[in-house]
Amino acid sequence: MAGLPAIRESWQCSSQGSWVTWLCLELDPILEPRMLLPKSLPTRKAIHRVVPHLTFPHRVAPRPGTAPRPLGAAPEDPWVNLGGVAVKLMEFQPAIEEILGRASGVNAPPLGVCSANLDHIRHFGSGGRWSGTLEKSGAVEWLTLVDGAPLATQARRLTSRSWPRLAGSDLVGPLLEAAERRGLTVGFLGGSVETQRLIRDRFKVERPQLKIVGWWAPARTILGDPQASRRLAGMISESAPDLLIVGLGKPRQELWISEYGAMTGAGVLLAFGAVVDFLAGHIKRAPSWVSSNSLEWAWRLALEPRRLARRYLVDGPEAYVRLRRNSGLALPPVVPGQRLNPDAAQQGTAVHSVDVPEREPSRAPGSFMPPSSTADVAVVVVTYNNEDSIGPLILSLRKEAQEQSLKVVVADNSPNHRTISELSRHPDVIAIRTGGNLGYAGGINAALSAAGEARTYLILNPDLRVEEGSVLAMRRRLEQSGAGMVVPVLLEDDGTVYPSLRREPGVLRALGDAALGSRFGSRPAWLSEMDVDEESYLHGHQVEWATGAALLVDAAAAKLVGAWDERFFLYSEETDYCHRMREAGYSIWFEPAARMWHTRGGSGASPQLVALMSVNRVRYGEKYLGPARLVAFRGAVLAAEVARLGKSGHRDAAWALTSRRRWDRLPHAVRPVEREI
């Protein structure tokens, strides 16, 4: 995007003679309505109501990364695993003191603070879209506190004692009072321009000594643009807030803090959802008897049924199941740059990845290295009649070879020499003819065998154009996350994002896709294999698999996972490879800073290829699903084809699914007697 919108207003605000900079960015009119915990005063300490029961004492885990406490020392506040999230159990006042201590401290990484409820578990817990994202950011240290009643109950089960619920709306009042006394500076990020004006007017009367250094109301387009977000963080840094209250809504606020929080210069960033609306006095909080009986969710649902019905009635039960199944005293892995030891993946043992020094760049900027050299990246491309599209891809890769060493290997499955002739214009490209049509998986295996040694392998479709800096961005994500594979954003020719991220195939997802197709894209994740949520394509996170147009694979992971399964020929081969990558103990990450343009015209669209796509889904099910699930899965895939008989190719697909004998008539590998190298 062009950049941050112009600052709308700037004026002086009287607060004991201090200047307050009002920086309001263009307000996005479609920002989500703010979540309010309606209660009149923020000063009441919310305590979860405890039902006595018999328990046995447990050993409570210390804070991640800390040394054992000396004998006789005072006990430290414990950390526990609640639904796959590392949560620190604290009393109210110690939590306030720890936050304030970090706000005024020096030589420490910024502290991100959030209060966890079931919605937090849904987003960041085990099986959530953003699972592991905050812990792997590295630049921000996170303090996650208990908020929701189910989490407080689960914490009591684990530790045999009750813990208070520390919601952001309960913490913000005491934090602002202490900041006013101690002279700490405060900034506000989030909320509308009008909401921030209301807070400012109230603070003139209620908190005249509070030093507010800036107000920022960014549009959603700003938050979703990496360059604009970095500029926004730089503007905040110039105002130097000690405490930055971030009210962007979950999970956007946590994700933004994780990626850009360290650039703001704030000592503490409070991911407190809708406290800006609460401070503005828009909605009253729930009465004490409601919150003390764990019915605050019902109060909020009654106030905002349209906005909160799905959260509490659809997503909430699923998050509660995750909470009960995935909680314990053993903390989830939180160390940045970890890789699971493949031999100990089932036990959850982690080992640090070894830092590999940068290789020497190509001899001339923009040139590719020979197969005998060890490159940072070996680019692997499989072609089939791609003489028109391979040239632009090679030119885009030359820009990537200026700051890192690349070698490019093309395996050509074409029945003629036109693609090879086009590649002869680039003598530093390693071009081989397979001598037949080995398919995508077979072509990748042929190219990998000719590629030689490399630190990473980048598998690309020939009809891609790589945006400058994308390969470096993927490599950075690979090292930062300790992943085995990283995938980029894929863009259509008109600049729209192609929904390339996928979820593991299953019976319910196949049924959901069969019945609904591309309609109701916001349906629950367990009812769709495709991830079409726009938010998923704005932030880096773990994924289950992605379309195979562009995949950066760590060399050690590639060696462990082995060759691509050539039985798939075309379609589902990347689903299988990603499945084996995860089985080997490696994660797969999406990197939004890496962008590639994809015309998606490489493999054509004949009726037989449509049929092959469905057949290979069943072939995948045969490999990984049990007999009973396979019958249901095959029925769901067949139902999807029957529902679309009027469209080209789906009649062929339905017939192919009814008889395995028809599978042999579909496109398959054509191998030469002796492969030409």
Side-chain angles (χ1 to χ4, degrees):
M1 60 180 298
L4 292 175
I7 298 172
R8 286 187 173 179
E9 302 177 76
S10 178
W11 63 81
Q12 182 181 6
C13 172
S14 176
S15 177
Q16 295 297 317
S18 64
W19 285 84
V20 177
T21 305
W22 182 276
L23 299 175
C24 294
L25 306 180
E26 180 184 6
L27 177 66
D28 186 354
I30 61 170
L31 279 176
E32 297 177 351
R34 295 296 182 253
M35 300 181 298
L36 256 289
L37 295 181
K39 191 192 295 189
S40 57
L41 294 175
T43 55
R44 190 187 67 83
K45 179 179 176 182
I47 303 295
H48 175 61
R49 186 176 184 181
V50 179
V51 180
H53 68 295
L54 294 176
T55 57
F56 295 93
H58 295 281
R59 181 175 61 84
V60 180
R63 180 174 179 166
T66 58
R69 184 168 289 274
L71 184 64
E76 186 182 11
D77 294 318
W79 289 77
V80 294
N81 173 11
L82 296 181
V85 175
V87 177
K88 190 171 186 178
L89 304 178
M90 305 184 74
E91 297 292 340
F92 192 88
Q93 194 57 38
I96 293 291
E97 292 301 325
E98 179 162 339
I99 294 170
L100 291 172
R102 291 295 291 270
S104 57
V106 293
N107 299 325
L111 180 69
V113 183
C114 62
S115 296
N117 51 20
L118 283 180
D119 195 42
H120 189 88
I121 299 300
R122 179 174 75 91
H123 289 296
F124 297 101
S126 298
R129 178 184 301 161
W130 313 108
S131 176
T133 303
L134 304 185
E135 293 83 358
K136 292 295 180 72
S137 67
V140 176
E141 181 181 335
W142 282 94
L143 172 63
T144 304
L145 305 170
V146 169
D147 179 7
L151 277 73
T153 300
Q154 189 68 19
R156 174 172 54 83
R157 292 191 184 102
L158 295 174
T159 62
S160 303
R161 59 161 292 189
S162 60
W163 297 93
R165 294 168 52 191
L166 305 179
S169 51
D170 290 312
L171 294 170
V172 68
L175 285 172
L176 291 177
E177 291 172 4
E180 191 173 12
R181 292 193 307 269
R182 302 185 186 190
L184 298 176
T185 57
V186 179
F188 283 83
L189 173 62
S192 68
V193 173
E194 182 58 32
T195 296
Q196 292 183 351
R197 284 176 178 166
L198 290 173
I199 299 173
R200 171 177 170 268
D201 292 340
R202 291 186 66 177
F203 281 6
K204 284 182 183 180
V205 177
E206 299 174 5
R207 306 186 189 278
Q209 303 291 335
L210 186 62
K211 297 179 180 178
I212 303 179
V213 295
W215 305 79
W216 298 270
R220 180 178 292 186
T221 52
I222 298 296
L223 301 172
D225 184 280
Q227 293 183 356
S229 286
R230 283 191 286 270
R231 289 194 289 270
L232 172 60
M235 294 170 64
I236 297 173
S237 179
E238 292 175 359
S239 299
D242 297 314
L243 281 168
L244 182 64
I245 298 176
V246 184
L248 303 174
K250 194 178 293 294
R252 190 177 302 114
Q253 60 198 13
E254 288 86 358
L255 295 171
W256 196 91
I257 291 173
S258 177
E259 294 183 39
Y260 308 106
M263 305 177 193
T264 65
V268 173
L269 300 100
L270 304 172
F272 279 0
V275 295
V276 288
D277 288 328
F278 163 70
L279 293 172
H282 285 316
I283 304 177
K284 293 182 179 180
R285 294 189 58 194
S288 298
W289 69 268
V290 172
S291 56
S292 61
N293 286 279
S294 303
L295 293 174
E296 199 163 7
W297 66 271
W299 174 273
R300 297 182 63 195
L301 180 60
L303 291 176
E304 301 179 87
R306 177 174 297 183
R307 188 173 71 86
L308 297 178
R310 173 170 175 171
R311 176 188 298 181
Y312 289 128
L313 303 181
V314 178
D315 298 329
E318 181 184 359
Y320 182 75
V321 171
R322 293 184 195 172
L323 173 68
R324 295 303 305 272
R325 287 181 176 177
N326 301 293
S327 296
L329 298 177
L331 296 178
V334 296
V335 180
Q338 281 184 335
R339 287 205 179 97
L340 285 178
N341 183 343
D343 297 329
Q346 299 300 321
Q347 292 77 26
T349 305
V351 294
H352 291 283
S353 61
V354 179
D355 290 334
V356 180
E358 291 289 326
R359 306 293 182 183
E360 290 295 325
S362 304
R363 296 186 191 123
S367 65
F368 305 133
M369 300 186 73
S372 58
S373 301
T374 301
D376 291 324
V377 184
V379 181
V380 170
V381 184
V382 180
T383 55
Y384 185 85
N385 294 338
N386 293 111
E387 60 272 14
D388 295 330
S389 58
I390 191 64
L393 171 61
I394 299 298
L395 292 177
S396 68
L397 288 171
R398 293 202 182 279
K399 296 180 180 179
E400 300 300 282
Q402 295 180 7
E403 298 183 15
Q404 59 199 322
S405 57
L406 269 66
K407 51 184 169 182
V408 178
V409 184
V410 179
D412 184 37
N413 282 331
S414 303
N416 53 58
H417 290 76
R418 287 195 293 268
T419 303
I420 290 293
S421 297
E422 179 64 27
L423 288 170
S424 65
R425 302 172 181 267
H426 306 276
D428 54 351
V429 171
I430 306 161
I432 61 173
R433 291 201 70 206
T434 63
N437 187 359
L438 306 185
Y440 195 56
I444 290 173
N445 289 335
L448 287 173
S449 65
E453 295 295 325
R455 183 181 178 184
T456 57
Y457 296 92
L458 178 59
I459 299 167
L460 297 178
N461 271 14
D463 53 355
L464 285 171
R465 287 176 290 118
V466 180
E467 199 166 284
E468 191 170 356
S470 294
V471 177
L472 273 176
M474 295 173 76
R475 290 180 59 207
R476 282 194 297 267
R477 177 67 69 176
L478 194 74
E479 289 301 314
Q480 179 189 40
S481 64
M485 180 188 296
V486 174
V487 300
V489 177
L490 297 182
L491 300 171
E492 305 275 16
D493 287 334
D494 60 0
T496 58
V497 174
Y498 172 68
S500 59
L501 304 182
R502 300 289 189 271
R503 306 181 182 100
E504 178 66 13
V507 176
L508 289 178
R509 286 171 177 161
L511 286 172
D513 290 335
L516 301 174
S518 59
R519 299 184 299 275
F520 305 105
S522 60
R523 61 184 181 265
W526 48 271
L527 274 178
S528 180
E529 188 175 321
M530 293 182 64
D531 186 350
V532 297
D533 193 324
E534 292 181 4
E535 200 81 24
S536 295
Y537 297 86
L538 298 178
H539 306 280
H541 62 286
Q542 292 188 52
V543 299
E544 293 182 331
W545 68 281
T547 55
L551 312 169
L552 181 71
V553 185
D554 176 76
K559 182 177 181 181
L560 183 65
V561 173
W564 287 58
D565 191 339
E566 299 185 16
R567 289 176 293 177
F568 290 101
F569 182 69
L570 191 65
Y571 307 125
S572 293
E573 66 275 74
E574 72 268 56
T575 321
D576 171 76
Y577 191 80
C578 290
H579 186 109
R580 291 190 286 135
M581 180 71 65
R582 300 194 310 273
E583 279 189 336
Y586 290 94
S587 60
I588 302 168
W589 276 70
F590 167 73
E591 174 50 60
R595 293 155 49 97
M596 302 187 186
W597 298 77
H598 191 204
T599 60
R600 294 196 298 134
S603 57
S606 69
Q608 283 196 318
L609 289 179
V610 174
L612 181 63
M613 184 180 297
S614 291
V615 164
N616 275 357
R617 294 192 67 197
V618 175
R619 191 174 269 132
Y620 179 87
E622 289 179 341
K623 188 172 182 179
Y624 295 108
L625 302 178
R629 292 176 62 201
L630 176 61
V631 171
F633 183 76
R634 185 170 185 165
V637 176
L638 177 59
E641 300 303 334
V642 170
R644 295 161 178 80
L645 285 178
K647 297 183 179 180
S648 175
H650 292 281
R651 184 184 299 273
D652 299 70
W655 278 111
L657 291 171
T658 58
S659 173
R660 192 179 182 90
R661 290 179 298 178
R662 295 187 175 94
W663 292 15
D664 294 336
R665 305 172 192 171
L666 298 176
H668 57 276
V670 178
R671 302 181 179 279
V673 176
E674 182 177 354
R675 185 177 297 175
E676 181 181 341
I677 304 297

